[in-house]
Amino acid sequence: MTPGKHGKHTFSPQEFNTRMDNCGLSLKMKDCLNRVVAFHSSPAPGVLIGSFMVDLALELLGAVPGEKLYGVCETPKCAPDALQVIANITTGNNRLRIIPIGKFAMTVNAATTNPTAEAVRVYIDLEKLKRYPVIDTWYANSPAFDKPTMAIQLQEEIFRAGRDILSFERVRVGVSGKRQWKSLTCPCCGDTIPDYLFEQDRCGGCGSMKYYEKIS
Amino acid sequence: MTPGKHGKHTFSPQEFNTRMDNCGLSLKMKDCLNRVVAFHSSPAPGVLIGSFMVDLALELLGAVPGEKLYGVCETPKCAPDALQVIANITTGNNRLRIIPIGKFAMTVNAATTNPTAEAVRVYIDLEKLKRYPVIDTWYANSPAFDKPTMAIQLQEEIFRAGRDILSFERVRVGVSGKRQWKSLTCPCCGDTIPDYLFEQDRCGGCGSMKYYEKIS
């Protein structure tokens, strides 16, 4: 982990580890948090809470190390990185879906050949959050949360709370299979793309999804 | 890295490393590939090529270790994981955008306070690919590519090719700032979400983005 900026305070891996020790975190949880923070490149509160969420979800599922799992994260903010690092549910391996509902919640299930899967949904429980006023203030994006002076306090409260701000429910989610495709050439740029991504007569890069300009 | 299934052949980390050695890969590139493959949880051809793409992009940008970078990946398949692991451009830290055009290409830029950024776009060059018939056949999703018998051959060709199938261009991309938001309570589920994610009178989870059913 390289030192970096987090908000207005400089992040010190050593202080971060001491803080985890002081809050009584297990070796396993410390290892998870260190790996997630290094990947995320900052100890953002959301990745810390997200790590406790993934840890709980894996335990509820009885998942074994290396097991192929699938997940949905209900926000693109921070939490997906915990799923990616701890459970290898990644954007690139097509096991992670982001459904941007804006909730700090995630659903995890084991691989299945059925069209639906039983999954566990872990979420921040607003009732339980009331017992942790700093997290509560931060989570509500309240002006009362002052990042420069309260970031450390927030981190400690997150470590002390652990799973104590989380609840879960058993749910059923849909499962989608691999899409079949053929390679087609875009007549505008000459690149090949999967047929199902064609927009009328061209690729999305020459159509509605153009996002860059060449610098001549 | 734990052994796992990749297609029809069992993945052996030891054989994977021997193969990289035999193809003359540098220690740095081997380290990148091992970390990306462990994260992705398989040595899928796309993450291998994606790793060479990220390596080239970072060199072209003159990026220093730990530098804050942003990226666009033009496909959700495999390649994003190379950006995530090697450059800490992740889904959860909001530095990674997936624009699903279906191209094996990525754009990387340094942090800036300007509304646009100069970036480097690295892509698979179809002309250059002709010199590597196994990769070419795989990339075209041709029926001539037989995964069970050709997976190893493909891997070796990717290692030997390295950057030799890639080209790049300098481009300009838009930069978006952090969105301001207030916390609002959904009257249906009682959860709080950012105001800008409200759908008319409710959250997306109670509206158009519902994706699970509770198991009673």
Side-chain angles (χ1 to χ4, degrees):
Chain A
M1 196 182 318
T2 48
K5 289 276 183 189
H6 174 234
K8 296 260 165 67
H9 75 281
T10 300
F11 171 60
S12 151
Q14 199 185 333
E15 285 169 22
F16 182 73
N17 275 284
T18 304
R19 215 168 289 132
M20 288 196 287
D21 284 334
N22 291 345
C23 296
L25 293 191
S26 69
L27 269 180
K28 181 189 150 211
M29 207 57 228
K30 279 175 60 182
D31 174 61
C32 278
L33 288 165
N34 272 315
R35 288 191 295 128
V36 172
V37 165
F39 177 76
H40 191 72
S41 70
S42 99
V47 288
L48 306 181
I49 297 173
S51 298
F52 287 103
M53 299 175 87
V54 175
D55 183 59
L56 175 57
L58 297 187
E59 186 177 303
L60 290 166
L61 284 172
V64 296
E67 184 171 347
K68 191 174 190 174
L69 301 169
Y70 291 79
V72 171
C73 198
E74 300 183 16
T75 174
K77 291 183 181 176
C78 297
D81 284 357
L83 274 169
Q84 296 198 101
V85 171
I86 303 171
N88 296 104
I89 294 170
T90 79
T91 296
N93 70 16
N94 199 29
R95 298 184 206 156
L96 175 64
R97 273 194 296 163
I98 307 287
I99 299 187
I101 300 170
K103 298 187 185 187
F104 222 80
M106 54 179 66
T107 303
V108 185
N109 64 275
T112 175
T113 52
N114 298 327
T116 64
E118 292 199 8
V120 60
R121 179 174 181 265
V122 176
Y123 58 95
I124 287 189
D125 187 316
L126 296 178
E127 273 307 308
K128 294 182 178 177
L129 211 52
K130 289 179 183 164
R131 300 199 291 263
Y132 297 90
V134 182
I135 310 178
D136 196 28
T137 309
W138 165 78
Y139 189 71
N141 197 26
S142 159
F145 181 74
D146 180 56
K147 198 168 165 179
T149 59
M150 293 167 78
I152 302 293
Q153 227 181 322
L154 174 60
Q155 208 175 82
E156 285 172 345
E157 209 171 87
I158 291 170
F159 292 156
R160 291 218 178 84
R163 298 178 173 185
D164 201 30
I165 54 171
L166 307 177
S167 287
F168 71 91
E169 57 191 344
R170 303 277 175 180
V171 300
R172 187 170 288 114
V173 295
V175 172
S176 57
K178 262 200 174 173
R179 196 158 189 169
Q180 298 299 309
W181 57 281
K182 284 186 179 166
S183 187
L184 272 192
T185 301
C186 170
C188 303
C189 64
D191 276 344
T192 55
I193 65 158
D195 50 359
Y196 62 81
L197 289 175
F198 249 65
E199 294 184 344
Q200 314 283 342
D201 60 347
R202 64 192 63 191
C203 77
C206 294
S208 72
M209 286 186 273
K210 182 174 163 60
Y211 73 95
Y212 65 85
E213 281 175 20
K214 291 186 193 190
I215 300 176
S216 51
Chain B
M1 197 183 317
T2 49
K5 288 277 183 190
H6 174 233
K8 294 262 165 66
H9 75 281
T10 299
F11 171 61
S12 150
Q14 198 185 333
E15 285 169 22
F16 182 74
N17 275 283
T18 304
R19 214 168 289 131
M20 289 196 287
D21 284 333
N22 292 344
C23 296
L25 292 191
S26 69
L27 270 179
K28 181 190 150 209
M29 206 57 228
K30 280 175 60 182
D31 174 61
C32 277
L33 289 164
N34 272 316
R35 288 190 295 128
V36 172
V37 165
F39 177 76
H40 191 71
S41 70
S42 100
V47 287
L48 306 181
I49 297 174
S51 298
F52 287 103
M53 298 175 86
V54 175
D55 184 58
L56 174 58
L58 297 187
E59 187 177 303
L60 290 165
L61 284 173
V64 297
E67 184 172 346
K68 192 174 190 175
L69 301 169
Y70 291 80
V72 171
C73 198
E74 299 183 16
T75 174
K77 291 182 181 176
C78 297
D81 284 356
L83 274 169
Q84 296 199 99
V85 171
I86 303 172
N88 296 105
I89 294 170
T90 80
T91 296
N93 70 17
N94 200 29
R95 298 184 206 156
L96 175 64
R97 273 194 298 164
I98 308 287
I99 300 187
I101 300 170
K103 298 187 184 187
F104 222 80
M106 55 179 65
T107 303
V108 185
N109 65 275
T112 175
T113 51
N114 298 327
T116 64
E118 292 198 9
V120 60
R121 179 173 181 265
V122 175
Y123 58 95
I124 287 188
D125 188 316
L126 296 177
E127 273 307 308
K128 294 182 178 178
L129 210 52
K130 289 178 183 165
R131 300 199 291 263
Y132 297 91
V134 183
I135 310 178
D136 195 29
T137 310
W138 164 78
Y139 188 71
N141 197 26
S142 160
F145 181 75
D146 181 56
K147 197 167 164 180
T149 60
M150 293 168 79
I152 301 293
Q153 229 181 320
L154 174 60
Q155 207 174 84
E156 285 171 345
E157 210 171 87
I158 290 170
F159 292 156
R160 292 219 178 84
R163 298 178 173 185
D164 201 31
I165 54 171
L166 307 178
S167 286
F168 70 91
E169 57 191 344
R170 304 277 174 178
V171 299
R172 188 171 287 116
V173 295
V175 171
S176 57
K178 262 201 173 171
R179 195 158 190 168
Q180 298 299 310
W181 58 280
K182 284 187 180 167
S183 187
L184 271 191
T185 300
C186 170
C188 303
C189 65
D191 276 343
T192 55
I193 65 158
D195 50 0
Y196 62 82
L197 289 175
F198 250 63
E199 295 183 343
Q200 314 283 343
D201 60 347
R202 64 192 63 192
C203 77
C206 295
S208 71
M209 287 186 273
K210 183 173 161 62
Y211 73 95
Y212 64 87
E213 281 175 19
K214 292 187 192 188
I215 300 175
S216 50

